[in-house]
Structure formats: structure tokens, C-alpha cells
Amino acid sequence: MNDIWSWQRAADVLPLLLEGFRITVLATVVGMAIASVLGLLVALVRRAPSRWVTLPVGFLVEFIRSTPLVVQLVFVYLLVPGLSSLTIGFLVLGVHYATYMSEVYRAGIDAVPRGQWEAATALNLPRARTWRAVVLPQAIRKTLPGLGNYAISMFKETPFLFAIGVVEMFTAAQQYGSSNYAYTEAITMVGILFLAASYPTSVLVRRLETRLA
């Protein structure tokens, strides 16, 4: 059993994994903040009346969604050498997931009853106030479960940051394993930490979805 698992090695690698876990959570939080705001902006822009606006934005959204995240990370890393790897990770994660979240926002906006729009028009509300006070509060409320699911997906995809040199949790485990010729403890604990963080979050998202439904 000692050849397969060592509690001493598990204790040795834990501080490294916790530091990597901090980077993982930080990348997820900042990436989600960027994706949430940018995704809403993209959803609003795609509702513009001009095809000269909607077509290029639509093409860019489909292009980003159709290319792998790891390729985007490496491409931006090579294209913009002045930024730190972690900053590039924040931006690419945020932009990549913004393209998916824009569809969630779009669905939420489309789900607002037509009577709400008509009531705002009857009250002669300015268009900006209609969006700010009537449409967006209802749309965002409907999109919260979807945004939560994408937050979990982003959290689980942070290991791709290894491609640009960010030492997140999985990369820390690999480095420990390669230097000590012992991967079992490190990789197992990474899986446990991912599970410990993502499973409670997924339960909360499901409960939120049930409540909002």
C-alpha cells in the first residue's frame, strides 16, 4: 500500500496544491466577471437593427466558440507578449465564455413577456430606462442558473492555463509528480479539491434553478 499511496507525500504536496487552488479560483472569479459583463454587452449588440453591426459580431462569436480554448490561450500569449500569463488567462477565459453567456442572456431577454415591453411603451418610458428597469432585471434573474453552470465549467477548464505557463492546481500537481516521481497523491488530491469546490456549487445552482422556475 505504501508503494501506491503515501500520506507523507500527500501532506508535502498539499501546500503547493492550495496555492494552485488559489490561482484556479482567482482565474475563475475574474474570468466570470469579465464573461458576465461582456456576454451581456454582446447579447445587446446582437440585437442592434443594423446588419453591419450584428453580422461581424455574430461571426466573431461563432469563431471563438468554434476554436479550442487552449489554442486561443496560446495564440493570445504569443500575440501579446507584454501581458503576464495570468492576465492573459483572465482575458481569454472571460472572452471565451462571454460568447456562450451571450446566448444565455439572449434567451433570458427573449423570455421577458411581450406585455412588459408594451406596458413600458404605454407608460412612455425611455428606451434606456425600459432596458434598465424592466427588461434586464427579469432577464438576468432567468439567466442565473445558466451563468452558474458556466462558472462551474470555467472552473474545471482552468487546467488549460498550463499551456501559457500559469501554475494552477493541476500544473502544481504535475510539477510535484515529475520532481518526486510520485503522481498518485498529487493528482488524487487535485481531483478531490475540484470535487469539493464544484459539487456544492452545482447543488446550489440546481436549487437556484428550481426556485426560479
Side-chain angles (χ1 to χ4, degrees):
M1 178 66 179
N2 291 335
D3 294 333
I4 300 175
W5 179 270
S6 167
W7 289 106
Q8 183 59 51
R9 289 197 295 264
D12 291 341
V13 74
L14 184 58
L16 299 176
L17 296 185
L18 291 178
E19 176 60 23
F21 183 77
R22 184 185 70 83
I23 299 298
T24 296
V25 172
L26 180 62
T28 304
V29 171
V30 177
M32 273 299 298
I34 295 172
S36 299
V37 175
L38 185 59
L40 179 58
L41 293 176
V42 171
L44 296 176
V45 168
R46 296 192 71 178
R47 296 179 67 90
S50 174
R51 293 175 63 86
W52 293 102
V53 175
T54 58
L55 286 179
V57 173
F59 172 78
L60 184 60
V61 166
E62 293 303 321
F63 176 80
I64 293 174
R65 292 177 63 178
S66 301
T67 52
L69 175 61
V70 65
V71 174
Q72 296 170 14
L73 285 166
V74 174
F75 180 78
V76 176
Y77 179 75
L78 296 174
L79 191 66
V80 190
L83 294 179
S84 68
S85 297
L86 190 56
T87 301
I88 291 174
F90 294 157
L91 295 174
V92 174
L93 281 172
V95 172
H96 182 83
Y97 274 89
T99 60
Y100 291 95
M101 291 185 182
S102 65
E103 291 300 306
V104 177
Y105 283 123
R106 181 193 60 78
I109 293 171
D110 290 342
V112 175
R114 185 172 181 82
Q116 299 289 323
W117 298 86
E118 294 172 350
T121 302
L123 293 172
N124 201 28
L125 291 180
R127 187 168 182 82
R129 188 177 179 188
T130 298
W131 278 97
R132 186 176 63 252
V134 179
V135 177
L136 290 182
Q138 297 182 67
I140 292 175
R141 180 174 178 270
K142 296 176 184 295
T143 62
L144 288 178
L147 299 183
N149 287 327
Y150 279 124
I152 296 171
S153 296
M154 183 186 294
F155 177 69
K156 293 188 294 185
E157 288 199 334
T158 52
F160 284 128
L161 296 177
F162 85 93
I164 57 174
V166 175
V167 184
E168 39 64 56
M169 188 163 50
F170 184 74
T171 303
Q174 284 189 313
Q175 291 179 350
Y176 176 86
S178 63
S179 61
N180 293 275
Y181 304 102
Y183 289 91
T184 303
E185 296 82 3
I187 299 300
T188 300
M189 294 183 68
V190 166
I192 292 172
L193 288 172
F194 268 113
L195 181 63
S198 61
Y199 180 73
T201 305
S202 65
V203 172
L204 289 175
V205 169
R206 286 198 297 270
R207 289 184 177 179
L208 179 62
E209 186 173 4
T210 301
R211 172 171 292 187
L212 293 180

